[in-house]
Amino acid sequence: MELYIAEKPSVGRTIASVIGANERRDGYWEGNGRMVSWCIGHLVALAMPEAYRSDYQRWRYSDLPILPEKWQYSVVAETKKQFELLRRLMHDSRVTSLVCATDAGREGELIFRLVYAMADCRKEVRRLWISSTEESAIRQAICHMKPMHDHDNLYRAALCRSQADWLIGMNATRLYSLLYGPTLHVGRVMTPTLAMLSAREAAISDFKPESFYTVKLDTGRGVVAQSERYADLNDARRLADSCNHNPAVVTRVEHKQRSENAPALYDLTALQRDANKLFGYTAQQTMEYAQGLYEKKLLTYPRSDSRHLTHDMEPSLRELAARVCGALPFADSLEPAVHPEQVIDDSKVTDHHALIPTVTMPGQTSAIDALTTGERDLLHLVCTRMLCALDDPFLYDETILHIECAGHNFTLKGRKVLQMGWKRIWYAFRGSLGGRLADEGASSEPSIPEEMTEGFEFPFPQAAVAEGKTTPPGHHT
């Protein structure tokens, strides 16, 4: 009999249904010659300092640094019952081998390995590596399982990370707390992050705005040109006075055709950034919503750092794009283009490919309406990004007029859209949010009339001084 160990009960249930382990037991499923159980996250963790020496329970400067010669681990008290169940199942005489089915990544590898070691299990282990909880993806992954030792380096990386966290957290927290009085939590990740925030806050607080001045030249033809910046208000006023008594003429016209390629697919970080910007969700909220969608088989594995797909996924992309259009209330009539080559690159996919909706994505809006607001927002966002990433580039013609007036140069930029491409999908999505978000709109640059060619004259331009101020750096999002 083979024992599958997942990371969460919901994933365990899904795997059990796929492999035919349909008999429910206390803490696991059984059937068809297999068992399926789960870890409920971390069941085993690095031991606290007092496990090495009882007097470490008291914080003393003279004890620092605490550097374990041999790392010790302990069972997490809150989930000890589940650990004892797994240990019993691992040593069950009916179980001949195990399958590590925890989340396919560094942390999932560590969760299983620590339980396996703490339970003192020696049975053969194979690795189930899935990026989606769809039945087809699980069946395919079962056919391609590899020995556990193929992922030894992933486990070592996770072990190194957890031990580094312990060394810095336990030692630096005690050190700074002893030196400065209150308990000051120091961490490998959170402390550098706090330093970045503090440095930016200091830069904002210390910033002193400075005034600058430009001259706006209203041509009377619906477009306004602008001079360079002046630090002295009197210089800007003199230029404005002279321009109000002189005609202006176009001395040079530049035309440049530009394009904005479709954005890349989402990895977790990019998704968290946009979900915060658009909906105000925290990184943790986004992670929880994405995890919920993953467990409902609507989204692929969320903890991904890749923004590309692999070649074997290409055949399903057109059908998936069509299903997504049917499921999004604003996308029915869009008919997006599908260019798989824009998102496929095997060399840029490591543990997991980019976040996309699954091939079992419902083809109608009603099924999605049953989701929570956060899950629905996130699914719409991921679906929209996938359609954008596959679509045509945004093309426009940029025109720059160089205008001379009173011996000074003014410039005027404009653009003419040649092809909306992926932006029509993005604007439709933004528009669907209604009052929750102001429409981004198209570019604010005007369209320049075609007759404004070299030598074109504006006989009566109106000049005025405009004041501006330098701005501080923005807060980190």
Side-chain angles (χ1 to χ4, degrees):
M1 182 174 283
E2 208 165 29
L3 171 61
Y4 284 68
I5 298 180
E7 188 168 323
K8 302 174 185 69
S10 58
V11 179
R13 283 194 300 270
T14 301
I15 293 173
S17 68
V18 171
I19 64 177
N22 297 321
E23 298 175 27
R24 180 65 191 264
R25 301 284 189 260
D26 185 14
Y28 66 100
W29 294 82
E30 183 177 346
N32 198 26
R34 296 169 172 129
M35 295 180 181
V36 181
S37 192
W38 43 85
C39 286
I40 321 179
H42 282 275
L43 301 184
V44 178
L46 284 162
M48 297 296 286
E50 50 266 30
Y52 297 90
R53 264 178 40 190
S54 59
D55 59 343
Y56 279 160
Q57 192 160 2
R58 183 182 174 191
W59 293 17
R60 291 187 297 253
Y61 183 85
S62 59
D63 290 334
L64 301 177
I66 301 170
L67 304 173
E69 293 184 10
K70 183 178 180 181
W71 291 98
Q72 296 183 29
Y73 294 84
S74 61
V75 176
V76 177
E78 292 79 6
T79 52
K80 185 176 182 180
K81 179 182 176 182
Q82 188 65 17
F83 171 79
E84 294 298 340
L85 169 68
L86 290 180
R87 175 155 59 183
R88 178 169 61 82
L89 294 177
M90 287 179 177
H91 290 282
D92 190 314
S93 59
R94 296 173 297 162
V95 174
T96 56
S97 63
L98 282 70
V99 173
C100 171
T102 49
D103 287 357
R106 188 177 66 181
E107 206 62 23
E109 196 72 20
L110 182 65
I111 287 171
F112 174 84
R113 299 282 189 119
L114 293 182
V115 171
Y116 182 78
M118 182 65 79
D120 196 25
C121 186
R122 296 289 184 271
K123 294 177 181 178
E124 177 190 356
V125 182
R126 293 187 295 164
R127 186 55 156 110
L128 179 67
W129 194 270
I130 54 174
S131 292
S132 168
T133 54
E134 299 166 274
E135 182 175 329
S136 58
I138 293 173
R139 291 191 184 280
Q140 185 178 17
I142 289 174
C143 295
H144 295 89
M145 288 194 290
K146 296 179 180 180
M148 182 172 68
H149 61 71
D150 281 11
H151 296 278
D152 282 352
N153 281 341
L154 189 66
Y155 164 61
R156 293 185 185 111
L159 202 61
C160 179
R161 192 275 311 155
S162 66
Q163 291 171 356
D165 281 346
W166 193 99
L167 288 170
I168 294 173
M170 295 299 174
N171 286 289
T173 295
R174 293 185 178 212
L175 173 64
Y176 280 88
S177 300
L178 290 166
L179 289 176
Y180 299 108
T183 301
L184 299 173
H185 296 282
V186 177
R188 179 182 61 89
V189 175
M190 69 177 183
T191 302
T193 305
L194 180 59
M196 290 170 60
L197 295 171
S198 299
R200 178 57 62 88
E201 195 66 31
I204 294 170
S205 298
D206 295 342
F207 182 82
K208 293 180 174 55
E210 296 180 358
S211 295
F212 63 87
Y213 307 92
T214 57
V215 176
K216 304 283 188 179
L217 192 67
D218 187 344
T219 63
R221 302 296 297 270
V223 290
V224 178
Q226 182 172 291
S227 72
E228 63 180 353
R229 289 184 177 186
Y230 290 91
D232 192 315
L233 174 60
N234 292 325
D235 291 340
R237 283 174 173 167
R238 280 192 288 271
L239 173 59
D241 289 342
S242 59
C243 287
N244 281 324
H245 299 88
N246 286 284
V249 62
V250 177
T251 57
R252 184 158 56 96
V253 181
E254 296 180 57
H255 287 286
K256 297 178 182 178
Q257 185 167 313
R258 300 191 179 278
S259 67
E260 291 182 24
N261 291 329
L265 296 168
Y266 279 130
D267 61 7
L268 177 58
T269 302
L271 177 63
Q272 288 171 320
R273 183 167 56 243
D274 278 3
N276 178 262
K277 177 182 177 183
L278 296 172
F279 306 115
Y281 297 148
T282 66
Q284 182 61 34
Q285 285 176 311
T286 298
M287 184 66 251
E288 290 172 359
Y289 296 145
Q291 183 68 29
L293 291 169
Y294 170 67
E295 293 177 16
K296 292 175 182 175
K297 306 177 188 179
L298 295 174
L299 191 68
T300 57
Y301 188 71
R303 292 180 179 86
S304 173
D305 61 358
S306 174
R307 306 189 72 175
H308 293 81
L309 306 178
T310 53
H311 272 92
D312 61 312
M313 304 176 71
E314 181 175 349
S316 63
L317 284 178
R318 291 187 184 278
E319 179 186 351
L320 180 57
R323 293 180 72 85
V324 165
C325 280
L328 297 179
F330 56 85
D332 274 343
S333 60
L334 288 178
E335 297 184 6
V338 179
H339 301 291
E341 69 279 359
Q342 295 177 176
V343 300
I344 289 175
D345 189 339
D346 286 16
S347 68
K348 294 181 179 178
V349 178
T350 51
D351 292 347
H352 299 280
H353 56 69
L355 275 74
I356 59 170
T358 62
V359 293
T360 55
M361 167 85 180
Q364 64 284 332
T365 60
S366 58
I368 297 177
D369 289 340
L371 298 172
T372 67
T373 300
E375 289 175 337
R376 187 166 59 251
D377 285 343
L378 218 63
L379 187 59
H380 282 178
L381 184 55
V382 172
C383 288
T384 301
R385 174 54 67 94
M386 189 195 78
L387 294 179
C388 289
L390 291 168
D391 210 275
D392 296 319
F394 169 63
L395 302 178
Y396 62 94
D397 182 73
E398 182 181 73
T399 303
I400 304 175
L401 295 188
H402 295 269
I403 300 172
E404 184 179 301
C405 185
H408 286 79
N409 188 53
F410 293 76
T411 56
L412 171 61
K413 284 186 178 182
R415 68 164 61 177
K416 179 181 180 181
V417 174
L418 305 176
Q419 172 181 283
M420 283 300 293
W422 64 270
K423 286 204 171 187
R424 76 192 192 284
I425 301 171
W426 184 245
Y427 291 151
F429 166 65
R430 294 292 293 261
S432 73
L433 300 178
R436 297 169 62 189
L437 190 70
D439 184 19
E440 213 175 46
S443 167
S444 59
E445 293 179 357
S447 177
I448 296 177
E450 293 182 0
E451 68 266 20
M452 293 184 184
T453 57
E454 189 172 327
F456 187 89
E457 185 173 302
F458 306 98
F460 306 109
Q462 297 294 314
V465 175
E467 181 180 1
K469 288 186 181 293
T470 56
T471 58
H475 288 92
H476 287 301
T477 64

